[in-house]
Amino acid sequence: MKRIFSGFAYGDAPRDGCWWPETVTPPDWPQLQGERKADVAIIGGGFTGLSAALHLAEAGARVAVLEAHNPGWGASGRNGGFCCIGGAMRSHAQIERSFGAGAAEEFWQAQQDAVALVAALIDRFGIKADTHSQGETQLAHRPRDMDALRAQSEALGPDKAQLIEPEDLAAQGMAGPFHGALTLPWGFALNPLKYLFGLAAAARSVGAQLFQKSEVTGIDSLSGGYRLRTNRGQLRAHQVIVATNGYSSEDVPNWLAGRYMPAQSNVLVTRPMTGKELQAQGWTSAQMAYDTRGLLHYFRLMPDRRFLFGMRGGLLSSPAAEARARAPTRAHFEAMFPAWAHVESPYLWSGMVCLSRRRVPFAGPVPNQPGLFAGLAYHGNGVAMGTYTGKLLAGLVQGTALPPRAMRGPLDRFPLGAARRILMPPFYLASAIGDR
């Protein structure tokens, strides 16, 4: 497989220190061995792949999911657990300028539908995912950013947005270096690994076959379908869905080369805090929150009083680079929440998010390869959008649904091909300057 980071990024070390595996027992999936057949083969056992598997199996298709590692190994099992509005790195106005007013409204509705889909699946299958909070809050990190939040609040209306002025933040349990906030009602927090395993159990209950440690090393076109090669077996299928997101390969399939940008993100989780410690900082809210920076911070207080804090990761991948990238995460946490500088964070890890050149998600057919589909590029918001994209892909495979227009592509190539990661330092620098 061809990856654009070093092998270290795709090993176990970046995931070491992840909190979520401490909270749940993983399912035991078999490894693909020998030769098998399916109507639809799905590469990737994360939110997208399992959602597609569930919806296809419910429709009567024979489905097989091939996960390269253990269940929950990738981004779906190591994110911040924010099920919320998002999926693009563009504002509603920017999407409107690029795709038209109707397409922008369609994508806005899709984001709400994505959150509702996760909630419905959790309810329908009785998934115990430690859900909590209601909505998501964006905090202004500069006074002028509050002006933009006020404008957004006015555009949405009081029934869709709650504006919190700077002097009212402490009363809301959100004290900190912020200049006001805006809360939107869509979204909730969850334990992403418990949700993922619940989604997997639901897919298996309706007949989907799930395989672990079955990395797809190649895809061959055959008459009437495809053959997927793994280290110990082969899977023949009429149709294939590629759902590997930030952990994609340049050659599975070859069409993906240069069309996605993996970027590292870091997350820490503290020990449980006492009520006195929470009061000392003035943050007692269980609300999912993030700030208005381009290189944003995202954080939330979890039900057991641990605090989760995330931000962008490093630009390189090696043991030394990983250590260098983790240190700023702790430093930013202490700078934003100084009363917790003494609070240990025994859990700290990193993972890959995925960007597209157009900065919107993609869900669609692979050109000139009938029966091959892909869904990826959620820009750090894969809990809801990945689940939703899986359902969209199931509809595409069956010929029963089309994605929102903004998500249909094309999935353009980045400049510089395999060397495209060198575009990230100037992008981060420009974002950091813009955040001042």
Side-chain angles (χ1 to χ4, degrees), residues 34-395:
E35 186 167 316
R36 290 178 177 259
K37 295 181 179 180
D39 296 325
V40 185
I42 299 173
I43 306 173
F47 298 134
T48 304
L50 291 176
S51 175
L54 169 64
H55 289 97
L56 284 167
E58 285 191 310
R62 293 181 303 155
V63 183
V65 175
L66 302 180
E67 166 57 43
H69 296 276
N70 301 315
W73 181 91
S76 295
R78 58 172 107 174
N79 60 82
F82 283 50
C83 180
C84 57
I85 293 290
M89 284 187 69
R90 306 179 75 176
S91 68
H92 185 86
Q94 289 171 330
I95 292 175
E96 183 173 319
R97 285 195 293 272
S98 295
F99 300 99
E105 288 298 326
E106 190 177 70
F107 184 67
W108 174 244
Q109 184 61 52
Q111 295 174 69
Q112 298 173 54
D113 292 344
V115 173
L117 175 62
V118 176
L121 291 172
I122 288 172
D123 181 64
R124 181 155 67 100
F125 292 102
I127 300 173
K128 307 299 183 185
D130 301 339
T131 57
H132 67 99
S133 80
Q134 181 60 49
E136 185 180 38
T137 297
Q138 186 175 24
L139 293 141
H141 83 282
R142 300 171 298 194
R144 68 174 181 266
D145 292 324
M146 189 56 186
D147 294 335
L149 294 184
R150 291 188 181 100
Q152 186 179 354
S153 174
E154 184 174 345
L156 288 170
D159 60 326
K160 298 286 180 64
Q162 177 193 359
L163 194 68
I164 307 172
E165 294 294 343
E167 61 271 17
D168 297 324
L169 284 172
Q172 296 288 330
M174 298 180 185
F178 311 116
H179 301 274
L182 180 67
T183 297
L184 301 183
W186 304 282
F188 52 91
L190 49 65
N191 179 317
L193 198 56
K194 288 186 177 182
Y195 168 58
L196 183 73
F197 291 170
L199 198 59
R204 291 182 92 172
S205 74
V206 293
Q209 300 180 75
L210 311 180
F211 298 97
Q212 66 178 338
K213 299 178 182 177
S214 301
E215 182 176 66
V216 176
T217 56
I219 304 176
D220 303 318
S221 296
L222 303 173
S223 176
Y226 296 89
R227 177 176 58 211
L228 280 58
R229 289 177 275 115
T230 74
N231 52 346
R232 290 195 177 183
Q234 298 180 0
L235 176 64
R236 293 173 181 261
H238 301 300
Q239 295 165 300
V240 176
I241 290 173
V242 180
T244 45
N245 204 36
Y247 290 88
S248 293
S249 170
E250 301 284 272
D251 57 349
V252 181
N254 291 325
W255 168 81
L256 262 180
R259 299 182 191 276
Y260 64 99
M261 181 75 81
Q264 297 178 94
S265 183
N266 287 352
V267 182
L268 68 76
V269 168
T270 71
R271 62 162 170 80
M273 284 189 271
T274 66
K276 184 176 181 180
E277 286 172 325
L278 297 178
Q279 292 292 341
Q281 177 59 50
W283 189 281
T284 57
S285 171
Q287 194 73 8
M288 296 186 298
Y290 66 107
D291 60 24
T292 51
R293 290 176 173 85
L295 299 177
L296 59 84
H297 304 96
Y298 53 95
F299 39 90
R300 63 185 178 94
L301 184 64
M302 296 194 287
D304 63 357
R305 290 183 168 181
R306 296 177 189 271
F307 196 76
L308 181 148
F309 179 88
M311 59 178 283
R312 72 170 177 85
L315 291 164
L316 302 175
S317 179
S318 68
E322 183 77 10
R324 288 195 300 270
R326 292 187 178 197
T329 306
R330 177 70 199 195
H332 282 230
F333 165 72
E334 293 185 7
M336 292 182 69
F337 303 100
W340 294 339
H342 70 287
V343 176
E344 301 88 350
S345 51
Y347 300 94
L348 177 56
W349 68 94
S350 70
M352 296 284 194
V353 300
C354 184
L355 288 61
S356 72
R357 187 173 181 184
R358 290 190 172 200
R359 294 176 292 143
V360 292
F362 173 79
V366 174
N368 305 314
Q369 297 188 57
L372 187 58
F373 302 85
L376 67 160
Y378 312 127
H379 302 89
N381 282 280
V383 177
M385 190 53 68
T387 304
Y388 179 73
T389 298
K391 183 178 180 181
L392 288 176
L393 291 168

